Amino acid sequence: VMAAVCVHAASGDGIYRDAGASAFQFLKIEVSARAAALGGTVLFNSGPLSGFSCPAGLARLDGASVSASHASYFGSASQNTASLVAASGGLRFSAGINALSAGGLEYRGDEPVAEPLGTFDYLDLALSGAVAASSGPLDAGAGMKLLHEEIWETDEWGFTVDASAAVHPLPWLDLGLAVQNIGPSADFGSRPGYRMPMTWRAGVSTRAELPWAGPAALSIETCKPIDNDMSGGAGLELSPAAWLDLRGGYRLGNDSQDLTAGIGLSAGAWALDYAWIPGAMSLGDVHRIVLTTGI
């Protein structure tokens, strides 16, 4: 939870009226290193990890693949994911697991004390499944996540659904829309009624061939979560060689992060994606890595 709050800090001069009012905040963190490096633009840049956030992104993937992702945050917090993508006829399916955890966190009770009274752990877990299909210029997808969260002596279960669509009106233009994390409220012990972090996303991606850098793609995206102000991001990807992608981006409306960067390498059936997200306010940098292989 703390990693999610810090990575997605409230933007603007004031605190949003519903900040912190939603459960399972880790669902807001993108798991794709490519999307993270491109300013957090997940609609068109999540690839085989699209099932965690924007299922329509699965629709045009070829064959079956397995992906694994890792990211480390401040302290002992880390995030690990794994995903399987398969195809059957005109449908694409994915199944995955996403876990954010930390251990040895100190607590001091209700009264201020010099020494901690003990330590506790926390775990956020999501089991996801998604399906997508393509029909002409339209891609559509839907997904569901079973959620579990443990914080100190409290644990809770929940579920959410995602839906997204993308249209490709021109060979060089993509338009996308998604609604994420729709689900019933969750109760944490004696504190009932925590809403899911429902988020709307809209974005555009355009491609061109640059004489000095080869294929290039520009992605621009905006999002509005239920418990924070609107934010967004933009990213540029250059592919000077068939095995190399260079990426850079900028996050808009995020006080804790702005510039992003990364690289993609591929060889045969293997692909390695890396993202570097510098952190402000002494939160430290985030390094995310994803390894994917066809099967």
Side-chain angles (χ1 to χ4, degrees), residues 33-52:
R34 182 186 181 201
L38 294 170
T41 53
V42 303
L43 284 174
F44 299 108
N45 298 314
S46 295
L49 297 175
S50 296
F52 289 108

mmCIF file of all heavy atoms in Angstrom, residues 33-52:
data_model
loop_
_atom_site.group_PDB
_atom_site.id
_atom_site.type_symbol
_atom_site.label_atom_id
_atom_site.label_comp_id
_atom_site.label_asym_id
_atom_site.label_seq_id
_atom_site.Cartn_x
_atom_site.Cartn_y
_atom_site.Cartn_z
ATOM 1 N N ALA A 33 7.112 -2.867 -18.106
ATOM 2 C CA ALA A 33 8.277 -1.982 -18.142
ATOM 3 C C ALA A 33 8.213 -1.063 -19.356
ATOM 4 O O ALA A 33 8.635 0.099 -19.295
ATOM 5 C CB ALA A 33 9.558 -2.802 -18.171
ATOM 6 N N ARG A 34 7.706 -1.552 -20.464
ATOM 7 C CA ARG A 34 7.587 -0.705 -21.652
ATOM 8 C C ARG A 34 6.643 0.464 -21.388
ATOM 9 O O ARG A 34 6.953 1.624 -21.680
ATOM 10 C CB ARG A 34 7.085 -1.530 -22.837
ATOM 11 C CG ARG A 34 6.987 -0.719 -24.135
ATOM 12 C CD ARG A 34 6.357 -1.532 -25.240
ATOM 13 N NE ARG A 34 6.283 -0.766 -26.475
ATOM 14 C CZ ARG A 34 5.447 -1.050 -27.468
ATOM 15 N NH1 ARG A 34 4.619 -2.086 -27.368
ATOM 16 N NH2 ARG A 34 5.440 -0.311 -28.556
ATOM 17 N N ALA A 35 5.462 0.182 -20.835
ATOM 18 C CA ALA A 35 4.508 1.245 -20.524
ATOM 19 C C ALA A 35 5.068 2.215 -19.497
ATOM 20 O O ALA A 35 4.873 3.431 -19.594
ATOM 21 C CB ALA A 35 3.201 0.637 -20.027
ATOM 22 N N ALA A 36 5.777 1.700 -18.487
ATOM 23 C CA ALA A 36 6.358 2.559 -17.458
ATOM 24 C C ALA A 36 7.398 3.497 -18.059
ATOM 25 O O ALA A 36 7.467 4.679 -17.711
ATOM 26 C CB ALA A 36 6.978 1.712 -16.356
ATOM 27 N N ALA A 37 8.241 2.973 -18.967
ATOM 28 C CA ALA A 37 9.270 3.799 -19.589
ATOM 29 C C ALA A 37 8.683 4.855 -20.502
ATOM 30 O O ALA A 37 9.296 5.906 -20.726
ATOM 31 C CB ALA A 37 10.240 2.914 -20.377
ATOM 32 N N LEU A 38 7.477 4.613 -21.023
ATOM 33 C CA LEU A 38 6.821 5.549 -21.934
ATOM 34 C C LEU A 38 5.807 6.412 -21.189
ATOM 35 O O LEU A 38 4.695 6.652 -21.665
ATOM 36 C CB LEU A 38 6.156 4.779 -23.076
ATOM 37 C CG LEU A 38 7.127 4.062 -24.018
ATOM 38 C CD1 LEU A 38 6.384 3.137 -24.971
ATOM 39 C CD2 LEU A 38 7.962 5.075 -24.798
ATOM 40 N N GLY A 39 6.172 6.886 -20.016
ATOM 41 C CA GLY A 39 5.332 7.816 -19.276
ATOM 42 C C GLY A 39 4.097 7.215 -18.659
ATOM 43 O O GLY A 39 3.147 7.934 -18.344
ATOM 44 N N GLY A 40 4.067 5.884 -18.476
ATOM 45 C CA GLY A 40 2.894 5.251 -17.880
ATOM 46 C C GLY A 40 1.736 5.081 -18.841
ATOM 47 O O GLY A 40 0.595 4.945 -18.415
ATOM 48 N N THR A 41 2.012 5.059 -20.153
ATOM 49 C CA THR A 41 0.957 4.913 -21.159
ATOM 50 C C THR A 41 0.684 3.426 -21.394
ATOM 51 O O THR A 41 1.325 2.779 -22.218
ATOM 52 C CB THR A 41 1.375 5.602 -22.468
ATOM 53 O OG1 THR A 41 2.670 5.109 -22.873
ATOM 54 C CG2 THR A 41 1.482 7.107 -22.266
ATOM 55 N N VAL A 42 -0.295 2.898 -20.675
ATOM 56 C CA VAL A 42 -0.518 1.453 -20.658
ATOM 57 C C VAL A 42 -1.437 0.958 -21.761
ATOM 58 O O VAL A 42 -1.414 -0.225 -22.105
ATOM 59 C CB VAL A 42 -1.088 0.997 -19.291
ATOM 60 C CG1 VAL A 42 -0.167 1.408 -18.159
ATOM 61 C CG2 VAL A 42 -2.487 1.545 -19.065
ATOM 62 N N LEU A 43 -2.261 1.825 -22.353
ATOM 63 C CA LEU A 43 -3.288 1.358 -23.277
ATOM 64 C C LEU A 43 -2.712 0.598 -24.464
ATOM 65 O O LEU A 43 -3.242 -0.439 -24.866
ATOM 66 C CB LEU A 43 -4.118 2.546 -23.777
ATOM 67 C CG LEU A 43 -5.147 3.118 -22.800
ATOM 68 C CD1 LEU A 43 -5.773 4.385 -23.378
ATOM 69 C CD2 LEU A 43 -6.229 2.106 -22.492
ATOM 70 N N PHE A 44 -1.634 1.115 -25.062
ATOM 71 C CA PHE A 44 -1.075 0.509 -26.261
ATOM 72 C C PHE A 44 0.323 -0.072 -26.049
ATOM 73 O O PHE A 44 0.920 -0.579 -27.001
ATOM 74 C CB PHE A 44 -1.011 1.539 -27.390
ATOM 75 C CG PHE A 44 -2.356 2.090 -27.772
ATOM 76 C CD1 PHE A 44 -2.702 3.389 -27.453
ATOM 77 C CD2 PHE A 44 -3.281 1.288 -28.418
ATOM 78 C CE1 PHE A 44 -3.946 3.896 -27.795
ATOM 79 C CE2 PHE A 44 -4.525 1.785 -28.752
ATOM 80 C CZ PHE A 44 -4.868 3.094 -28.442
ATOM 81 N N ASN A 45 0.839 -0.015 -24.831
ATOM 82 C CA ASN A 45 2.232 -0.377 -24.616
ATOM 83 C C ASN A 45 2.443 -1.458 -23.560
ATOM 84 O O ASN A 45 3.553 -1.639 -23.093
ATOM 85 C CB ASN A 45 3.031 0.872 -24.233
ATOM 86 C CG ASN A 45 3.016 1.918 -25.326
ATOM 87 O OD1 ASN A 45 3.228 1.597 -26.495
ATOM 88 N ND2 ASN A 45 2.738 3.166 -24.969
ATOM 89 N N SER A 46 1.390 -2.185 -23.190
ATOM 90 C CA SER A 46 1.520 -3.220 -22.162
ATOM 91 C C SER A 46 1.785 -4.597 -22.741
ATOM 92 O O SER A 46 2.165 -5.516 -22.004
ATOM 93 C CB SER A 46 0.268 -3.250 -21.277
ATOM 94 O OG SER A 46 0.142 -2.043 -20.557
ATOM 95 N N GLY A 47 1.554 -4.789 -24.034
ATOM 96 C CA GLY A 47 1.885 -6.051 -24.690
ATOM 97 C C GLY A 47 1.307 -7.266 -23.992
ATOM 98 O O GLY A 47 0.120 -7.296 -23.654
ATOM 99 N N PRO A 48 2.119 -8.298 -23.723
ATOM 100 C CA PRO A 48 1.603 -9.523 -23.101
ATOM 101 C C PRO A 48 1.156 -9.342 -21.655
ATOM 102 O O PRO A 48 0.556 -10.262 -21.091
ATOM 103 C CB PRO A 48 2.787 -10.484 -23.183
ATOM 104 C CG PRO A 48 3.983 -9.613 -23.316
ATOM 105 C CD PRO A 48 3.538 -8.418 -24.083
ATOM 106 N N LEU A 49 1.418 -8.178 -21.057
ATOM 107 C CA LEU A 49 0.942 -7.893 -19.701
ATOM 108 C C LEU A 49 -0.344 -7.062 -19.711
ATOM 109 O O LEU A 49 -0.775 -6.575 -18.680
ATOM 110 C CB LEU A 49 2.029 -7.166 -18.903
ATOM 111 C CG LEU A 49 3.321 -7.972 -18.685
ATOM 112 C CD1 LEU A 49 4.367 -7.114 -17.982
ATOM 113 C CD2 LEU A 49 3.053 -9.233 -17.886
ATOM 114 N N SER A 50 -0.961 -6.915 -20.871
ATOM 115 C CA SER A 50 -2.184 -6.109 -20.984
ATOM 116 C C SER A 50 -3.329 -6.659 -20.155
ATOM 117 O O SER A 50 -4.236 -5.918 -19.773
ATOM 118 C CB SER A 50 -2.620 -6.011 -22.449
ATOM 119 O OG SER A 50 -1.669 -5.329 -23.230
ATOM 120 N N GLY A 51 -3.324 -7.954 -19.888
ATOM 121 C CA GLY A 51 -4.416 -8.554 -19.124
ATOM 122 C C GLY A 51 -4.555 -8.014 -17.719
ATOM 123 O O GLY A 51 -5.610 -8.152 -17.098
ATOM 124 N N PHE A 52 -3.504 -7.368 -17.181
ATOM 125 C CA PHE A 52 -3.585 -6.791 -15.843
ATOM 126 C C PHE A 52 -4.313 -5.452 -15.818
ATOM 127 O O PHE A 52 -4.708 -4.996 -14.749
ATOM 128 C CB PHE A 52 -2.179 -6.590 -15.268
ATOM 129 C CG PHE A 52 -1.483 -7.871 -14.909
ATOM 130 C CD1 PHE A 52 -0.422 -8.335 -15.675
ATOM 131 C CD2 PHE A 52 -1.878 -8.617 -13.814
ATOM 132 C CE1 PHE A 52 0.233 -9.512 -15.348
ATOM 133 C CE2 PHE A 52 -1.233 -9.790 -13.472
ATOM 134 C CZ PHE A 52 -0.180 -10.247 -14.248
#
